[in-house]
C-alpha cells in the first residue's frame, strides 16, 4: 500500500476538531489515553476497523476495546448491571476496561469483538481522549497504537516510529501518565468477576470497592483474553527477569534504591523507580524498554519487582517481553 502522509495534530481545539473529522470520514487517528496511546477508528465502520488490523499487522482474532465518552453512551452497546454501575462509578473515567455482554442492537462492526458475543469497553481519563470522544460523539475502537508484537507506545514519537505512513493522523497528547494498559475485568452473567489482564488499576483497589476477592483468569475460562500472544510486549533484545547478578554484556533495567543492589561495580542503565515506587515504575516501563532497545544490546536484565499492586501488571508485561518468541499463551 502507498504510504500515507501521517499528520501530527496539536491537541488544541482545532487539532481535536480535525482529528474527529478524520474519524468521521473513516480514517485512523492515534490519540493519547492515560494508559498508552490508542489507534482509534469509528467502531461502527467495518472498513476502517479492518484497517486497524492491517496497520498493526495484528492477527484478526484479537478483539478491540471500545472507548466512549460517558456511561450513557456505554449502555447503548453493552448489557449494563449493578456491578458494572458500581465499578464505573468508582473507576471511570480511568484505566479500567469492562468486558460485558454486547447488546444485540449495538450496531458495532462485528470485527471489533472479533465475532465474540462480549464487548470490552472503557471511558479513558485523559482530557484529550475525552475531548476527541466528545467531538466525535460515537464509539471509538482502539487497540494500543503499536505494530503487533511490539511494545505499547507511551509517547507520540513511539507511535510515529511504529505506525507513521500507515495511519492518517496522530493527536499529540504528551507522555501517558499511567504507562501500562488498562486493567481488564470480565463481568458476565452467572460468572464470577474475573481479572482478564492486570493493568493500570490495581486489583486491590477493585476488590476494596467490591468488598470481595475477584477470580483470576483460568485456562478454561470462556473469557480467556483471546489470542493474547505471550510475546505481545517484546522488545528486540532478549529480556531476563529477576536478575540479581548482571553480566557485563547485559543492559540493566533496575528497580529500587541502588544501594540495595550495590556491591556491584556498575549502576543500572535505567532505573524504573529509584525509590521503589510501583506507580512510577509502571509509567516508565514501556518508555525505558524502548530506550534500552535503541541502545542495541542483545540482552536486557531486569531487577526483581514486587508482585503487589501495579507490580503485577509490570511483571506480567515483563514476562511477555522475556518469553521465547512466538509462544501463544
Ligand atoms: O489501556 C488500554 O487498554 C489501551 C488503550 C488504548 O485503551 N488499549 C489496549 O488495547 O491495550 P489492546 O487491543 O492492545 O488490548 C486489548 C486486550 C486484548 O488482549 C484483547 O484480547 C482483550 O483486550 N479483549 C478485547 N475485547 C475482548 C473481549 N470481548 N473479551 C475478552 N478480551 C477482550
Ligand atoms: Mg496492545
Amino acid at each position: 500500500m502507498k504510504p500515507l502522509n501521517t499528520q501530527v495534530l496539536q491537541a488544541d481545539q482545532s487539532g481535536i476538531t480535525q482529528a474527529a473529522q478524520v474519524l468521521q470520514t473513516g480514517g485512523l487517528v492515534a490519540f493519547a489515553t492515560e494508559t498508552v496511546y490508542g489507534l482509534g477508528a469509528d467502531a461502527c465502520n467495518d472498513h476502517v476497523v479492518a484497517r486497524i488490523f492491517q496497520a498493526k499487522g495484528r492477527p484478526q482474532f484479537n478483539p478491540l476495546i471500545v472507548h466512549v465518552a460517558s456511561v450513557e453512551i456505554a449502555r447503548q452497546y453493552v448489557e449494563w448491571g449493578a456491578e458494572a454501575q458500581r465499578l464505573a462509578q468508582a473507576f471511570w473515567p480511568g484505566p479500567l476496561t469492562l468486558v460485558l455482554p454486547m447488546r444485540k442492537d449495538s450496531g458495532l462492526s462485528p470485527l471489533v469483538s472479533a465475532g465474540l458475543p462480549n464487548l470490552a469497553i472503557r471511558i479513558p481519563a485523559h482530557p484529550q481522549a475525552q475531548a476527541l470522544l466528545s467531538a466525535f460523539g460515537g464509539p471509538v475502537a482502539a487497540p494500543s497504537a503499536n505494530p503487533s508484537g511490539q511494545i505499547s507506545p507511551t509517547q507520540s514519537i513511539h507511535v510515529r516510529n511504529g505506525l507513521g505512513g500507515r495511519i492518517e493522523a496522530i493527536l499529540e497528547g504528551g507522555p501517558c501518565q499511567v504507562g501500562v494498559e488498562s486493567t481488564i475485568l470480565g463481568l458476565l452473567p452467572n460468572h464470577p468477576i474475573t481479572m482478564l489482564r492486570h493493568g493500570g488499576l490495581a486489583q486491590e483497589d477493585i476488590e476494596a470497592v467490591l468488598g470481595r476477592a475477584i477470580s483470576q483468569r483460568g485456562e478454561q475460562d470462556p473469557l480467556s483474553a483471546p489470542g493474547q500472544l505471550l510475546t505481545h510486549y517484546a522488545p528486540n533484545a532478549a529480556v531476563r527477569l529477576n536478575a540479581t547478578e548482571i553480566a557485563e554484556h547485559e543492559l540493566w533495567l533496575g528497580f529500587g534504591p541502588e544501594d540495595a543492589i550495590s556491591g556491584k561495580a556498575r549502576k543500572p542503565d535505567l532505573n524504573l523507580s529509584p525509590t521503589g515506587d510501583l506507580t512510577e515504575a509502571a509509567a516508565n516501563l514501556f518508555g525505558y524498554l524502548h530506550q534500552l532497545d535503541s541502545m542495541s544490546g542483545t540482552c536486557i536484565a531486569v531487577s526483581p519487582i514486587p508482585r503487589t499492586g501495579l507490580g503485577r501488571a509490570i511483571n506480567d508485561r515483563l514476562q511477555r517481553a522475556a518469553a521465547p518468541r512466538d509462544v501463544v499463551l
Side-chain angles (χ1 to χ4, degrees):
M1 206 181 94
K2 202 165 141 266
L4 298 169
N5 174 23
T6 302
Q7 262 188 297
V8 178
L9 302 170
Q10 292 311 306
D12 51 18
Q13 199 46 56
S14 115
I16 284 164
T17 306
Q18 281 183 66
Q21 271 164 3
V22 174
L23 290 175
Q24 268 144 13
T25 52
L28 294 172
V29 181
F31 62 101
T33 79
E34 73 281 23
T35 58
V36 299
Y37 273 74
L39 176 57
D42 175 352
C44 298
N45 177 331
D46 287 320
H47 178 75
V48 71
V49 173
R51 277 191 54 213
I52 290 183
F53 295 99
Q54 187 190 37
K56 280 179 66 86
R58 181 178 201 175
Q60 295 277 356
F61 47 74
N62 214 352
L64 306 171
I65 297 173
V66 165
H67 299 66
V68 292
S70 69
V71 169
E72 290 62 46
I73 300 177
R75 293 179 69 161
Q76 296 172 18
Y77 302 105
V78 287
E79 304 287 351
W80 199 249
E83 266 164 340
Q85 180 63 27
R86 202 148 145 212
L87 290 165
Q89 220 152 25
F91 300 116
W92 279 359
L96 173 67
T97 295
L98 299 178
V99 175
L100 293 157
M102 185 158 41
R103 279 177 56 155
K104 301 240 172 339
D105 60 352
S106 76
L108 298 175
S109 163
L111 264 184
V112 168
S113 65
L116 296 171
N118 309 309
L119 184 70
I121 195 159
R122 83 178 186 102
I123 302 181
H126 195 295
Q128 272 126 35
Q130 295 222 339
L132 177 63
L133 291 170
S134 300
F136 175 61
V140 171
S144 50
N146 50 284
S148 195
Q150 294 188 18
I151 307 165
S152 288
T154 53
Q155 297 170 28
S156 63
I157 184 72
H158 301 156
V159 181
R160 212 158 0 141
N161 290 343
L163 297 178
R166 300 200 215 169
I167 64 179
E168 276 77 5
I170 301 171
L171 187 59
E172 174 59 64
C176 301
Q177 296 299 313
V178 175
V180 290
E181 299 89 345
S182 60
T183 298
I184 306 184
L185 277 189
L187 270 81
L188 289 196
N190 309 319
H191 218 268
I193 295 185
T194 307
M195 176 66 79
L196 295 176
R197 177 176 75 182
H198 288 290
L201 178 65
Q203 181 178 333
E204 290 89 336
D205 295 343
I206 298 168
E207 290 176 338
V209 163
L210 292 173
R212 60 189 153 86
I214 49 182
S215 314
Q216 299 300 311
R217 174 166 64 97
E219 292 278 303
Q220 302 303 317
D221 202 298
L223 271 178
S224 244
Q228 271 205 12
L229 292 176
L230 201 50
T231 54
H232 199 82
Y233 301 91
N236 295 319
V239 177
R240 191 166 72 80
L241 302 186
N242 297 315
T244 48
E245 299 290 330
I246 314 297
E248 207 169 304
H249 73 276
E250 288 179 313
L251 293 167
W252 182 4
L253 181 60
F255 175 83
E258 283 163 24
D259 48 1
I261 40 182
S262 71
K264 313 254 176 349
R266 56 184 279 200
K267 282 183 168 301
D269 294 280
L270 291 171
N271 192 330
L272 287 169
S273 170
T275 59
D277 176 343
L278 289 167
T279 306
E280 182 187 18
N284 286 331
L285 180 66
F286 291 140
Y288 282 8
L289 286 175
H290 276 288
Q291 269 188 56
L292 289 171
D293 227 14
S294 69
M295 294 179 195
S296 56
T298 52
C299 187
I300 301 170
V302 188
S303 295
I305 294 163
R307 290 177 183 272
T308 53
L310 291 191
R312 288 183 228 237
I314 297 171
N315 274 293
D316 174 82
R317 304 302 186 276
L318 284 169
Q319 251 160 344
R320 290 171 195 282
R325 303 302 145 92
D326 302 326
V327 174
V328 177
L329 187 68

